[in-house]
PDB file of all heavy atoms in Angstrom:
ATOM      1  N   SER A 656      -9.758 -15.946 -12.464  1.00 85.00           N
ATOM      2  CA  SER A 656      -8.767 -14.931 -12.636  1.00 85.00           C
ATOM      3  C   SER A 656      -9.199 -13.468 -12.310  1.00 85.00           C
ATOM      4  O   SER A 656      -8.613 -12.553 -12.715  1.00 85.00           O
ATOM      5  CB  SER A 656      -8.237 -14.963 -14.135  1.00 85.00           C
ATOM      6  OG  SER A 656      -7.621 -16.255 -14.410  1.00 85.00           O
ATOM      7  N   TRP A 657     -10.319 -13.416 -11.584  1.00 85.00           N
ATOM      8  CA  TRP A 657     -10.813 -12.051 -11.188  1.00 85.00           C
ATOM      9  C   TRP A 657     -11.490 -12.155  -9.908  1.00 85.00           C
ATOM     10  O   TRP A 657     -12.003 -13.201  -9.460  1.00 85.00           O
ATOM     11  CB  TRP A 657     -11.700 -11.452 -12.224  1.00 85.00           C
ATOM     12  CG  TRP A 657     -12.943 -12.203 -12.669  1.00 85.00           C
ATOM     13  CD1 TRP A 657     -14.100 -12.239 -12.079  1.00 85.00           C
ATOM     14  CD2 TRP A 657     -12.986 -13.094 -13.737  1.00 85.00           C
ATOM     15  NE1 TRP A 657     -14.968 -13.130 -12.768  1.00 85.00           N
ATOM     16  CE2 TRP A 657     -14.270 -13.629 -13.849  1.00 85.00           C
ATOM     17  CE3 TRP A 657     -12.059 -13.496 -14.756  1.00 85.00           C
ATOM     18  CZ2 TRP A 657     -14.708 -14.551 -14.750  1.00 85.00           C
ATOM     19  CZ3 TRP A 657     -12.462 -14.399 -15.723  1.00 85.00           C
ATOM     20  CH2 TRP A 657     -13.794 -14.903 -15.711  1.00 85.00           C
ATOM     21  N   HIS A 658     -11.489 -11.025  -9.165  1.00 85.00           N
ATOM     22  CA  HIS A 658     -12.126 -10.880  -7.836  1.00 85.00           C
ATOM     23  C   HIS A 658     -13.377 -10.008  -7.910  1.00 85.00           C
ATOM     24  O   HIS A 658     -13.321  -8.940  -8.527  1.00 85.00           O
ATOM     25  CB  HIS A 658     -11.119 -10.258  -6.912  1.00 85.00           C
ATOM     26  CG  HIS A 658     -11.726 -10.093  -5.470  1.00 85.00           C
ATOM     27  ND1 HIS A 658     -11.815 -11.113  -4.570  1.00 85.00           N
ATOM     28  CD2 HIS A 658     -12.267  -9.027  -4.841  1.00 85.00           C
ATOM     29  CE1 HIS A 658     -12.335 -10.669  -3.458  1.00 85.00           C
ATOM     30  NE2 HIS A 658     -12.652  -9.419  -3.648  1.00 85.00           N
ATOM     31  N   VAL A 659     -14.493 -10.480  -7.435  1.00 88.00           N
ATOM     32  CA  VAL A 659     -15.692  -9.797  -7.407  1.00 88.00           C
ATOM     33  C   VAL A 659     -15.903  -9.048  -6.119  1.00 88.00           C
ATOM     34  O   VAL A 659     -16.019  -9.661  -5.095  1.00 88.00           O
ATOM     35  CB  VAL A 659     -16.949 -10.742  -7.686  1.00 88.00           C
ATOM     36  CG1 VAL A 659     -18.265  -9.949  -7.749  1.00 88.00           C
ATOM     37  CG2 VAL A 659     -16.747 -11.518  -9.015  1.00 88.00           C
ATOM     38  N   LEU A 660     -15.935  -7.748  -6.238  1.00 83.00           N
ATOM     39  CA  LEU A 660     -16.055  -6.908  -4.949  1.00 83.00           C
ATOM     40  C   LEU A 660     -17.418  -6.932  -4.378  1.00 83.00           C
ATOM     41  O   LEU A 660     -17.607  -7.116  -3.137  1.00 83.00           O
ATOM     42  CB  LEU A 660     -15.596  -5.472  -5.248  1.00 83.00           C
ATOM     43  CG  LEU A 660     -14.097  -5.221  -5.526  1.00 83.00           C
ATOM     44  CD1 LEU A 660     -13.893  -3.700  -5.709  1.00 83.00           C
ATOM     45  CD2 LEU A 660     -13.282  -5.747  -4.413  1.00 83.00           C
ATOM     46  N   SER A 661     -18.418  -6.686  -5.280  1.00 68.00           N
ATOM     47  CA  SER A 661     -19.839  -6.689  -4.814  1.00 68.00           C
ATOM     48  C   SER A 661     -20.730  -7.248  -5.848  1.00 68.00           C
ATOM     49  O   SER A 661     -21.067  -6.508  -6.810  1.00 68.00           O
ATOM     50  CB  SER A 661     -20.219  -5.226  -4.505  1.00 68.00           C
ATOM     51  OG  SER A 661     -19.899  -4.379  -5.594  1.00 68.00           O
ATOM     52  N   PRO A 662     -21.085  -8.564  -5.738  1.00 64.00           N
ATOM     53  CA  PRO A 662     -21.957  -9.107  -6.738  1.00 64.00           C
ATOM     54  C   PRO A 662     -23.211  -8.317  -6.928  1.00 64.00           C
ATOM     55  O   PRO A 662     -23.848  -7.830  -5.992  1.00 64.00           O
ATOM     56  CB  PRO A 662     -22.244 -10.467  -6.126  1.00 64.00           C
ATOM     57  CG  PRO A 662     -21.152 -10.735  -5.124  1.00 64.00           C
ATOM     58  CD  PRO A 662     -20.790  -9.410  -4.618  1.00 64.00           C
ATOM     59  N   THR A 663     -23.583  -8.089  -8.215  1.00 62.00           N
ATOM     60  CA  THR A 663     -24.660  -7.252  -8.509  1.00 62.00           C
ATOM     61  C   THR A 663     -25.734  -8.170  -9.263  1.00 62.00           C
ATOM     62  O   THR A 663     -25.403  -8.821 -10.226  1.00 62.00           O
ATOM     63  CB  THR A 663     -24.324  -6.106  -9.471  1.00 62.00           C
ATOM     64  OG1 THR A 663     -23.336  -5.348  -8.796  1.00 62.00           O
ATOM     65  CG2 THR A 663     -25.513  -5.263  -9.808  1.00 62.00           C
ATOM     66  N   SER A 664     -26.942  -8.230  -8.674  1.00 63.00           N
ATOM     67  CA  SER A 664     -27.927  -9.101  -9.202  1.00 63.00           C
ATOM     68  C   SER A 664     -28.549  -8.400 -10.472  1.00 63.00           C
ATOM     69  O   SER A 664     -28.561  -7.206 -10.587  1.00 63.00           O
ATOM     70  CB  SER A 664     -29.070  -9.426  -8.215  1.00 63.00           C
ATOM     71  OG  SER A 664     -29.823  -8.233  -7.982  1.00 63.00           O
ATOM     72  N   ALA A 665     -29.095  -9.232 -11.331  1.00 71.00           N
ATOM     73  CA  ALA A 665     -29.781  -8.711 -12.549  1.00 71.00           C
ATOM     74  C   ALA A 665     -30.972  -7.842 -12.062  1.00 71.00           C
ATOM     75  O   ALA A 665     -31.279  -6.858 -12.747  1.00 71.00           O
ATOM     76  CB  ALA A 665     -30.263  -9.863 -13.430  1.00 71.00           C
ATOM     77  N   GLU A 666     -31.595  -8.222 -10.982  1.00 81.00           N
ATOM     78  CA  GLU A 666     -32.789  -7.519 -10.480  1.00 81.00           C
ATOM     79  C   GLU A 666     -32.380  -6.091 -10.101  1.00 81.00           C
ATOM     80  O   GLU A 666     -33.137  -5.131 -10.371  1.00 81.00           O
ATOM     81  CB  GLU A 666     -33.497  -8.210  -9.397  1.00 81.00           C
ATOM     82  CG  GLU A 666     -34.137  -9.530  -9.756  1.00 81.00           C
ATOM     83  CD  GLU A 666     -33.175 -10.726  -9.916  1.00 81.00           C
ATOM     84  OE1 GLU A 666     -32.001 -10.533  -9.589  1.00 81.00           O
ATOM     85  OE2 GLU A 666     -33.535 -11.771 -10.458  1.00 81.00           O
ATOM     86  N   SER A 667     -31.283  -5.922  -9.414  1.00 82.00           N
ATOM     87  CA  SER A 667     -30.843  -4.618  -8.911  1.00 82.00           C
ATOM     88  C   SER A 667     -30.422  -3.733 -10.087  1.00 82.00           C
ATOM     89  O   SER A 667     -30.664  -2.474 -10.075  1.00 82.00           O
ATOM     90  CB  SER A 667     -29.743  -4.728  -7.845  1.00 82.00           C
ATOM     91  OG  SER A 667     -28.523  -5.310  -8.472  1.00 82.00           O
ATOM     92  N   VAL A 668     -29.815  -4.307 -11.061  1.00 82.00           N
ATOM     93  CA  VAL A 668     -29.411  -3.577 -12.286  1.00 82.00           C
ATOM     94  C   VAL A 668     -30.655  -3.073 -13.002  1.00 82.00           C
ATOM     95  O   VAL A 668     -30.774  -1.922 -13.433  1.00 82.00           O
ATOM     96  CB  VAL A 668     -28.516  -4.366 -13.250  1.00 82.00           C
ATOM     97  CG1 VAL A 668     -28.323  -3.685 -14.521  1.00 82.00           C
ATOM     98  CG2 VAL A 668     -27.205  -4.732 -12.605  1.00 82.00           C
ATOM     99  N   GLN A 669     -31.616  -3.974 -13.069  1.00 90.00           N
ATOM    100  CA  GLN A 669     -32.932  -3.611 -13.703  1.00 90.00           C
ATOM    101  C   GLN A 669     -33.583  -2.445 -12.997  1.00 90.00           C
ATOM    102  O   GLN A 669     -34.159  -1.567 -13.584  1.00 90.00           O
ATOM    103  CB  GLN A 669     -33.830  -4.824 -13.793  1.00 90.00           C
ATOM    104  CG  GLN A 669     -35.010  -4.628 -14.715  1.00 90.00           C
ATOM    105  CD  GLN A 669     -34.708  -4.984 -16.227  1.00 90.00           C
ATOM    106  OE1 GLN A 669     -33.457  -4.943 -16.571  1.00 90.00           O
ATOM    107  NE2 GLN A 669     -35.625  -5.200 -16.951  1.00 90.00           N
ATOM    108  N   ALA A 670     -33.579  -2.538 -11.702  1.00 93.00           N
ATOM    109  CA  ALA A 670     -34.172  -1.457 -10.834  1.00 93.00           C
ATOM    110  C   ALA A 670     -33.485  -0.132 -11.060  1.00 93.00           C
ATOM    111  O   ALA A 670     -34.169   0.891 -11.079  1.00 93.00           O
ATOM    112  CB  ALA A 670     -34.241  -1.902  -9.409  1.00 93.00           C
ATOM    113  N   GLU A 671     -32.200  -0.192 -11.133  1.00 93.00           N
ATOM    114  CA  GLU A 671     -31.420   1.031 -11.338  1.00 93.00           C
ATOM    115  C   GLU A 671     -31.681   1.652 -12.733  1.00 93.00           C
ATOM    116  O   GLU A 671     -31.846   2.858 -12.855  1.00 93.00           O
ATOM    117  CB  GLU A 671     -29.934   0.767 -11.107  1.00 93.00           C
ATOM    118  CG  GLU A 671     -29.090   2.069 -11.190  1.00 93.00           C
ATOM    119  CD  GLU A 671     -27.660   1.825 -10.932  1.00 93.00           C
ATOM    120  OE1 GLU A 671     -27.234   0.587 -10.793  1.00 93.00           O
ATOM    121  OE2 GLU A 671     -26.853   2.730 -10.911  1.00 93.00           O
ATOM    122  N   PHE A 672     -31.818   0.800 -13.653  1.00 95.00           N
ATOM    123  CA  PHE A 672     -32.055   1.243 -15.061  1.00 95.00           C
ATOM    124  C   PHE A 672     -33.484   1.965 -15.049  1.00 95.00           C
ATOM    125  O   PHE A 672     -33.626   2.986 -15.628  1.00 95.00           O
ATOM    126  CB  PHE A 672     -32.051   0.025 -15.993  1.00 95.00           C
ATOM    127  CG  PHE A 672     -32.324   0.336 -17.394  1.00 95.00           C
ATOM    128  CD1 PHE A 672     -31.891   1.499 -18.047  1.00 95.00           C
ATOM    129  CD2 PHE A 672     -33.005  -0.622 -18.191  1.00 95.00           C
ATOM    130  CE1 PHE A 672     -32.150   1.730 -19.436  1.00 95.00           C
ATOM    131  CE2 PHE A 672     -33.310  -0.349 -19.598  1.00 95.00           C
ATOM    132  CZ  PHE A 672     -32.880   0.820 -20.150  1.00 95.00           C
ATOM    133  N   ALA A 673     -34.441   1.278 -14.449  1.00 97.00           N
ATOM    134  CA  ALA A 673     -35.773   1.840 -14.489  1.00 97.00           C
ATOM    135  C   ALA A 673     -35.825   3.176 -13.782  1.00 97.00           C
ATOM    136  O   ALA A 673     -36.469   4.110 -14.262  1.00 97.00           O
ATOM    137  CB  ALA A 673     -36.755   0.852 -13.736  1.00 97.00           C
ATOM    138  N   LEU A 674     -35.110   3.266 -12.639  1.00 97.00           N
ATOM    139  CA  LEU A 674     -35.135   4.528 -11.914  1.00 97.00           C
ATOM    140  C   LEU A 674     -34.503   5.661 -12.718  1.00 97.00           C
ATOM    141  O   LEU A 674     -34.989   6.818 -12.794  1.00 97.00           O
ATOM    142  CB  LEU A 674     -34.383   4.344 -10.594  1.00 97.00           C
ATOM    143  CG  LEU A 674     -34.259   5.675  -9.702  1.00 97.00           C
ATOM    144  CD1 LEU A 674     -35.669   6.181  -9.348  1.00 97.00           C
ATOM    145  CD2 LEU A 674     -33.442   5.321  -8.442  1.00 97.00           C
ATOM    146  N   GLU A 675     -33.372   5.297 -13.451  1.00 97.00           N
ATOM    147  CA  GLU A 675     -32.726   6.395 -14.194  1.00 97.00           C
ATOM    148  C   GLU A 675     -33.510   6.762 -15.458  1.00 97.00           C
ATOM    149  O   GLU A 675     -33.571   7.940 -15.802  1.00 97.00           O
ATOM    150  CB  GLU A 675     -31.305   5.903 -14.607  1.00 97.00           C
ATOM    151  CG  GLU A 675     -30.372   5.883 -13.427  1.00 97.00           C
ATOM    152  CD  GLU A 675     -28.927   6.037 -13.797  1.00 97.00           C
ATOM    153  OE1 GLU A 675     -28.651   6.307 -15.044  1.00 97.00           O
ATOM    154  OE2 GLU A 675     -28.055   5.900 -12.962  1.00 97.00           O
ATOM    155  N   VAL A 676     -34.240   5.832 -16.036  1.00 98.00           N
ATOM    156  CA  VAL A 676     -35.087   6.181 -17.157  1.00 98.00           C
ATOM    157  C   VAL A 676     -36.275   7.048 -16.658  1.00 98.00           C
ATOM    158  O   VAL A 676     -36.605   8.123 -17.292  1.00 98.00           O
ATOM    159  CB  VAL A 676     -35.719   4.939 -17.821  1.00 98.00           C
ATOM    160  CG1 VAL A 676     -36.815   5.287 -18.827  1.00 98.00           C
ATOM    161  CG2 VAL A 676     -34.530   4.148 -18.536  1.00 98.00           C
ATOM    162  N   LEU A 677     -36.866   6.747 -15.520  1.00 98.00           N
ATOM    163  CA  LEU A 677     -37.932   7.552 -14.948  1.00 98.00           C
ATOM    164  C   LEU A 677     -37.430   8.950 -14.675  1.00 98.00           C
ATOM    165  O   LEU A 677     -38.098   9.928 -15.050  1.00 98.00           O
ATOM    166  CB  LEU A 677     -38.474   6.865 -13.702  1.00 98.00           C
ATOM    167  CG  LEU A 677     -39.603   7.623 -12.897  1.00 98.00           C
ATOM    168  CD1 LEU A 677     -40.842   7.861 -13.762  1.00 98.00           C
ATOM    169  CD2 LEU A 677     -39.895   6.918 -11.633  1.00 98.00           C
ATOM    170  N   THR A 678     -36.334   9.029 -13.990  1.00 98.00           N
ATOM    171  CA  THR A 678     -35.776  10.345 -13.615  1.00 98.00           C
ATOM    172  C   THR A 678     -35.461  11.148 -14.839  1.00 98.00           C
ATOM    173  O   THR A 678     -35.828  12.387 -14.983  1.00 98.00           O
ATOM    174  CB  THR A 678     -34.509  10.193 -12.724  1.00 98.00           C
ATOM    175  OG1 THR A 678     -34.822   9.379 -11.618  1.00 98.00           O
ATOM    176  CG2 THR A 678     -33.975  11.553 -12.348  1.00 98.00           C
ATOM    177  N   GLY A 679     -34.779  10.543 -15.797  1.00 98.00           N
ATOM    178  CA  GLY A 679     -34.268  11.301 -16.977  1.00 98.00           C
ATOM    179  C   GLY A 679     -35.437  11.801 -17.867  1.00 98.00           C
ATOM    180  O   GLY A 679     -35.371  12.874 -18.370  1.00 98.00           O
ATOM    181  N   LEU A 680     -36.431  10.949 -18.084  1.00 98.00           N
ATOM    182  CA  LEU A 680     -37.537  11.325 -18.994  1.00 98.00           C
ATOM    183  C   LEU A 680     -38.553  12.276 -18.286  1.00 98.00           C
ATOM    184  O   LEU A 680     -39.428  12.809 -18.897  1.00 98.00           O
ATOM    185  CB  LEU A 680     -38.248  10.093 -19.531  1.00 98.00           C
ATOM    186  CG  LEU A 680     -37.386   9.234 -20.399  1.00 98.00           C
ATOM    187  CD1 LEU A 680     -38.248   8.100 -20.982  1.00 98.00           C
ATOM    188  CD2 LEU A 680     -36.773   9.972 -21.526  1.00 98.00           C
ATOM    189  N   SER A 681     -38.440  12.421 -16.939  1.00 98.00           N
ATOM    190  CA  SER A 681     -39.200  13.303 -16.229  1.00 98.00           C
ATOM    191  C   SER A 681     -38.625  14.706 -16.149  1.00 98.00           C
ATOM    192  O   SER A 681     -39.303  15.667 -15.696  1.00 98.00           O
ATOM    193  CB  SER A 681     -39.521  12.783 -14.775  1.00 98.00           C
ATOM    194  OG  SER A 681     -40.114  11.555 -14.832  1.00 98.00           O
ATOM    195  N   GLU A 682     -37.378  14.849 -16.580  1.00 97.00           N
ATOM    196  CA  GLU A 682     -36.748  16.179 -16.438  1.00 97.00           C
ATOM    197  C   GLU A 682     -37.016  16.993 -17.683  1.00 97.00           C
ATOM    198  O   GLU A 682     -37.539  16.506 -18.679  1.00 97.00           O
ATOM    199  CB  GLU A 682     -35.194  15.954 -16.350  1.00 97.00           C
ATOM    200  CG  GLU A 682     -34.763  15.363 -14.988  1.00 97.00           C
ATOM    201  CD  GLU A 682     -33.285  15.252 -14.835  1.00 97.00           C
ATOM    202  OE1 GLU A 682     -32.529  15.636 -15.728  1.00 97.00           O
ATOM    203  OE2 GLU A 682     -32.907  14.786 -13.765  1.00 97.00           O
ATOM    204  N   ARG A 683     -36.649  18.254 -17.641  1.00 94.00           N
ATOM    205  CA  ARG A 683     -36.747  19.190 -18.767  1.00 94.00           C
ATOM    206  C   ARG A 683     -35.394  19.881 -18.958  1.00 94.00           C
ATOM    207  O   ARG A 683     -35.034  20.670 -18.003  1.00 94.00           O
ATOM    208  CB  ARG A 683     -37.900  20.181 -18.578  1.00 94.00           C
ATOM    209  CG  ARG A 683     -39.245  19.640 -18.505  1.00 94.00           C
ATOM    210  CD  ARG A 683     -39.737  19.138 -19.790  1.00 94.00           C
ATOM    211  NE  ARG A 683     -41.101  18.648 -19.782  1.00 94.00           N
ATOM    212  CZ  ARG A 683     -41.492  17.430 -19.377  1.00 94.00           C
ATOM    213  NH1 ARG A 683     -40.534  16.561 -19.043  1.00 94.00           N
ATOM    214  NH2 ARG A 683     -42.783  17.062 -19.350  1.00 94.00           N
ATOM    215  N   PRO A 684     -34.723  19.686 -20.044  1.00 95.00           N
ATOM    216  CA  PRO A 684     -35.069  18.808 -21.157  1.00 95.00           C
ATOM    217  C   PRO A 684     -34.853  17.356 -20.740  1.00 95.00           C
ATOM    218  O   PRO A 684     -34.081  17.046 -19.792  1.00 95.00           O
ATOM    219  CB  PRO A 684     -34.040  19.214 -22.184  1.00 95.00           C
ATOM    220  CG  PRO A 684     -32.883  19.709 -21.462  1.00 95.00           C
ATOM    221  CD  PRO A 684     -33.450  20.457 -20.234  1.00 95.00           C
ATOM    222  N   LYS A 685     -35.491  16.442 -21.444  1.00 98.00           N
ATOM    223  CA  LYS A 685     -35.390  14.980 -21.139  1.00 98.00           C
ATOM    224  C   LYS A 685     -33.979  14.481 -21.443  1.00 98.00           C
ATOM    225  O   LYS A 685     -33.266  14.992 -22.338  1.00 98.00           O
ATOM    226  CB  LYS A 685     -36.430  14.209 -21.941  1.00 98.00           C
ATOM    227  CG  LYS A 685     -37.890  14.545 -21.576  1.00 98.00           C
ATOM    228  CD  LYS A 685     -38.837  13.715 -22.436  1.00 98.00           C
ATOM    229  CE  LYS A 685     -40.237  13.843 -22.020  1.00 98.00           C
ATOM    230  NZ  LYS A 685     -40.826  15.202 -22.348  1.00 98.00           N
ATOM    231  N   ARG A 686     -33.559  13.432 -20.768  1.00 98.00           N
ATOM    232  CA  ARG A 686     -32.201  12.874 -21.022  1.00 98.00           C
ATOM    233  C   ARG A 686     -32.256  11.447 -20.614  1.00 98.00           C
ATOM    234  O   ARG A 686     -33.112  10.891 -19.916  1.00 98.00           O
ATOM    235  CB  ARG A 686     -31.170  13.591 -20.107  1.00 98.00           C
ATOM    236  CG  ARG A 686     -31.440  13.398 -18.609  1.00 98.00           C
ATOM    237  CD  ARG A 686     -30.326  13.907 -17.718  1.00 98.00           C
ATOM    238  NE  ARG A 686     -30.689  13.702 -16.302  1.00 98.00           N
ATOM    239  CZ  ARG A 686     -30.445  12.546 -15.690  1.00 98.00           C
ATOM    240  NH1 ARG A 686     -29.959  11.504 -16.315  1.00 98.00           N
ATOM    241  NH2 ARG A 686     -30.728  12.391 -14.410  1.00 98.00           N
ATOM    242  N   LEU A 687     -31.304  10.697 -21.118  1.00 98.00           N
ATOM    243  CA  LEU A 687     -31.018   9.294 -20.837  1.00 98.00           C
ATOM    244  C   LEU A 687     -29.518   9.143 -20.657  1.00 98.00           C
ATOM    245  O   LEU A 687     -28.726   9.678 -21.396  1.00 98.00           O
ATOM    246  CB  LEU A 687     -31.467   8.338 -21.900  1.00 98.00           C
ATOM    247  CG  LEU A 687     -33.072   8.230 -22.081  1.00 98.00           C
ATOM    248  CD1 LEU A 687     -33.376   7.446 -23.364  1.00 98.00           C
ATOM    249  CD2 LEU A 687     -33.612   7.561 -20.907  1.00 98.00           C
ATOM    250  N   ASN A 688     -29.116   8.447 -19.612  1.00 94.00           N
ATOM    251  CA  ASN A 688     -27.665   8.276 -19.291  1.00 94.00           C
ATOM    252  C   ASN A 688     -26.982   7.340 -20.252  1.00 94.00           C
ATOM    253  O   ASN A 688     -27.478   6.299 -20.553  1.00 94.00           O
ATOM    254  CB  ASN A 688     -27.601   7.780 -17.879  1.00 94.00           C
ATOM    255  CG  ASN A 688     -26.152   7.882 -17.243  1.00 94.00           C
ATOM    256  OD1 ASN A 688     -25.173   7.598 -17.977  1.00 94.00           O
ATOM    257  ND2 ASN A 688     -26.077   8.301 -16.081  1.00 94.00           N
ATOM    258  N   SER A 689     -25.926   7.826 -20.770  1.00 93.00           N
ATOM    259  CA  SER A 689     -25.138   7.039 -21.825  1.00 93.00           C
ATOM    260  C   SER A 689     -24.591   5.780 -21.262  1.00 93.00           C
ATOM    261  O   SER A 689     -24.253   4.898 -22.083  1.00 93.00           O
ATOM    262  CB  SER A 689     -24.014   7.889 -22.345  1.00 93.00           C
ATOM    263  OG  SER A 689     -23.106   8.249 -21.278  1.00 93.00           O
ATOM    264  N   ARG A 690     -24.549   5.539 -20.006  1.00 89.00           N
ATOM    265  CA  ARG A 690     -24.049   4.268 -19.447  1.00 89.00           C
ATOM    266  C   ARG A 690     -24.892   3.116 -19.865  1.00 89.00           C
ATOM    267  O   ARG A 690     -24.474   1.958 -19.922  1.00 89.00           O
ATOM    268  CB  ARG A 690     -23.928   4.340 -17.900  1.00 89.00           C
ATOM    269  CG  ARG A 690     -25.251   4.475 -17.212  1.00 89.00           C
ATOM    270  CD  ARG A 690     -25.129   4.382 -15.670  1.00 89.00           C
ATOM    271  NE  ARG A 690     -24.789   3.020 -15.278  1.00 89.00           N
ATOM    272  CZ  ARG A 690     -25.104   2.644 -14.003  1.00 89.00           C
ATOM    273  NH1 ARG A 690     -25.775   3.454 -13.108  1.00 89.00           N
ATOM    274  NH2 ARG A 690     -24.830   1.432 -13.629  1.00 89.00           N
ATOM    275  N   TRP A 691     -26.181   3.365 -20.212  1.00 93.00           N
ATOM    276  CA  TRP A 691     -27.084   2.323 -20.550  1.00 93.00           C
ATOM    277  C   TRP A 691     -27.072   1.904 -21.982  1.00 93.00           C
ATOM    278  O   TRP A 691     -27.833   1.071 -22.481  1.00 93.00           O
ATOM    279  CB  TRP A 691     -28.589   2.663 -20.119  1.00 93.00           C
ATOM    280  CG  TRP A 691     -28.618   2.919 -18.620  1.00 93.00           C
ATOM    281  CD1 TRP A 691     -28.785   4.150 -17.998  1.00 93.00           C
ATOM    282  CD2 TRP A 691     -28.476   1.965 -17.615  1.00 93.00           C
ATOM    283  NE1 TRP A 691     -28.742   4.017 -16.686  1.00 93.00           N
ATOM    284  CE2 TRP A 691     -28.636   2.733 -16.339  1.00 93.00           C
ATOM    285  CE3 TRP A 691     -28.354   0.552 -17.558  1.00 93.00           C
ATOM    286  CZ2 TRP A 691     -28.626   2.013 -15.099  1.00 93.00           C
ATOM    287  CZ3 TRP A 691     -28.285  -0.090 -16.349  1.00 93.00           C
ATOM    288  CH2 TRP A 691     -28.394   0.663 -15.185  1.00 93.00           C
TER     289      TRP A 691
END
């Protein structure tokens, strides 16, 4: 009952999470994106 536009692998989600954590905690002031 639903259409998948672009299947997202667990590995790609994990890589995006890691990148955003690295970017956010390297900034001043530090931040984490609420989407996670």
Side-chain angles (χ1 to χ4, degrees):
S656 298
W657 54 88
H658 179 80
V659 180
L660 291 182
S661 51
T663 304
S664 69
E666 292 78 10
S667 64
V668 172
Q669 193 83 341
E671 186 178 3
F672 181 36
L674 178 60
E675 291 208 2
V676 169
L677 175 62
T678 302
L680 295 184
S681 299
E682 291 184 0
R683 296 291 185 273
K685 295 180 173 70
R686 64 173 180 83
L687 291 169
N688 194 315
S689 60
R690 65 175 288 203
W691 300 108

